[in-house]
Amino acid sequence: IYIYLKVKRQKKEVEQQKARAERLNSLNQKIFAVIAHDFKSPMITLNTLIDLMDKENVSGDDLKTYSSDVRNQIIQSGQILDNLLNWAKTELNLSYNTNLYSNPFLIVNEITKELNYMAARKNIRIVNQVPESILLKVPPDILKIILRNLLSNAIKFSFSNNEVVVGLNDKVTLFVKDFGAGMNEKTINHLFNGTVQSKLGTFNETGFGLGLYITHELINKFNGSIWIEKNNPTGTIFKFVFPTHAQN
């Protein structure tokens, strides 16, 4: 019996390691696709703008349009880079400073400014309902990545002329609520394991589906939990909580 149980346990460990290796291989392929596509696009747009300026063949309106595109793509590239670096840090089991506190109200305001261009294209308003005095025991840069990913995702799948709401339930649970396309149960059940193929947003926005996976990994790193609820009549609510209660 002892030998049987030992062999069974070893077999299970091998299967888990194999599944992890397959998942990491799939994620690595996605990462290379992100680097090849998303980090190349801003350079192409910027190069086009410089060529037009060198030829003095760009009007004021065209210059404004290209500048806005470059700014938006650079912001998105910065977001992707943050995600990749923190994903690598998580996979390498590097340590974080767990004694830092964050003010989610201020972080949401900061992210709102960063995502203003993305939201304005669809006339979406980000509503910050987080109390100003709340503090969470999580490093500010980590909370910023988590909230930026959730807000970007909410904007991506929201319908035009709508709102995305960020708030706090029971003084401990942060939520990001949108009134967009929503998702089915199958997608919800596999959303955080890195295997879901990214879909086009309601404005044909592209993406590679890494943001929510990395968000899940970072929250787990701090022993937190994240889950999804359907919003009525349409949309999705992402909720997450850390084991240390928020402080006033």
Side-chain angles (χ1 to χ4, degrees):
I1 294 174
Y2 170 78
I3 295 174
Y4 169 77
L5 293 176
K6 184 177 180 180
V7 171
K8 186 176 180 180
R9 183 172 62 252
Q10 290 175 340
K11 182 178 179 181
K12 183 178 180 181
E13 290 175 354
V14 170
E15 290 174 349
Q16 290 175 342
Q17 291 175 354
K18 181 181 178 181
R20 175 178 169 80
E22 290 175 350
R23 178 176 60 83
L24 290 178
N25 182 58
S26 175
L27 287 170
N28 284 333
Q29 292 178 4
K30 285 188 176 183
I31 287 171
F32 281 115
V34 168
I35 293 172
H37 180 271
D38 287 76
F39 285 105
K40 189 175 181 181
S41 295
M43 299 300 102
I44 294 174
T45 306
L46 184 59
N47 187 61
T48 301
L49 177 60
I50 293 173
D51 284 344
L52 290 173
M53 293 177 66
D54 286 342
K55 297 175 182 178
E56 297 182 355
N57 190 28
V58 56
S59 66
D61 289 340
D62 288 339
L63 179 61
K64 185 176 180 180
T65 299
Y66 274 109
S67 298
S68 296
D69 286 341
V70 170
R71 185 183 300 110
N72 183 53
Q73 290 178 15
I74 288 175
I75 290 173
Q76 291 179 338
S77 297
Q79 177 182 343
I80 293 167
L81 182 59
D82 282 343
N83 280 330
L84 296 181
L85 291 175
N86 278 279
W87 175 82
K89 192 173 182 180
T90 300
E91 291 298 330
L92 292 172
N93 292 319
L94 300 179
S95 61
Y96 294 88
N97 188 340
T98 58
N99 295 315
L100 296 177
Y101 282 84
S102 301
N103 184 320
F105 173 82
L106 296 179
I107 289 176
V108 171
N109 283 345
E110 184 179 350
I111 296 171
T112 298
K113 294 178 181 178
E114 292 180 9
L115 300 179
N116 180 63
Y117 177 82
M118 180 180 179
R121 292 178 64 197
K122 300 166 75 171
N123 194 28
I124 292 173
R125 187 168 68 98
I126 300 175
V127 180
N128 186 357
Q129 295 182 349
V130 180
E132 296 184 33
S133 59
I134 290 293
L135 295 177
L136 297 178
K137 194 175 181 181
V138 59
D141 58 332
I142 298 301
L143 184 60
K144 185 175 181 180
I145 291 170
I146 292 170
L147 285 170
R148 189 197 291 131
N149 282 331
L150 293 178
L151 281 168
S152 296
N153 185 76
I155 294 170
K156 177 180 177 181
F157 292 105
S158 287
F159 299 118
S160 298
N161 306 311
N162 230 311
E163 292 182 342
V164 170
V165 182
V166 188
L168 192 75
N169 288 336
D170 305 322
K171 295 186 177 181
V172 293
T173 305
L174 278 167
F175 68 85
V176 176
K177 177 169 63 175
D178 68 68
F179 302 86
M183 61 185 74
N184 57 40
E185 290 294 334
K186 182 178 179 181
T187 300
I188 291 175
N189 292 335
H190 295 86
L191 191 62
F192 296 126
N193 61 12
T195 62
V196 175
Q197 186 69 32
S198 180
K199 298 180 180 179
L200 293 177
T202 55
F203 209 67
N204 290 323
E205 301 97 324
T206 60
F208 285 86
L210 286 174
L212 293 180
Y213 166 76
I214 294 169
T215 296
H216 179 259
E217 293 294 292
L218 289 175
I219 291 175
N220 281 345
K221 190 75 174 181
F222 288 86
N223 299 315
S225 301
I226 181 170
W227 64 98
I228 306 169
E229 297 177 1
K230 291 186 177 181
N231 188 26
N232 291 319
T234 59
T236 306
I237 306 174
F238 283 82
K239 294 185 177 181
F240 64 98
V241 63
F242 296 101
T244 303
H245 289 342
Q247 295 186 355
N248 285 311

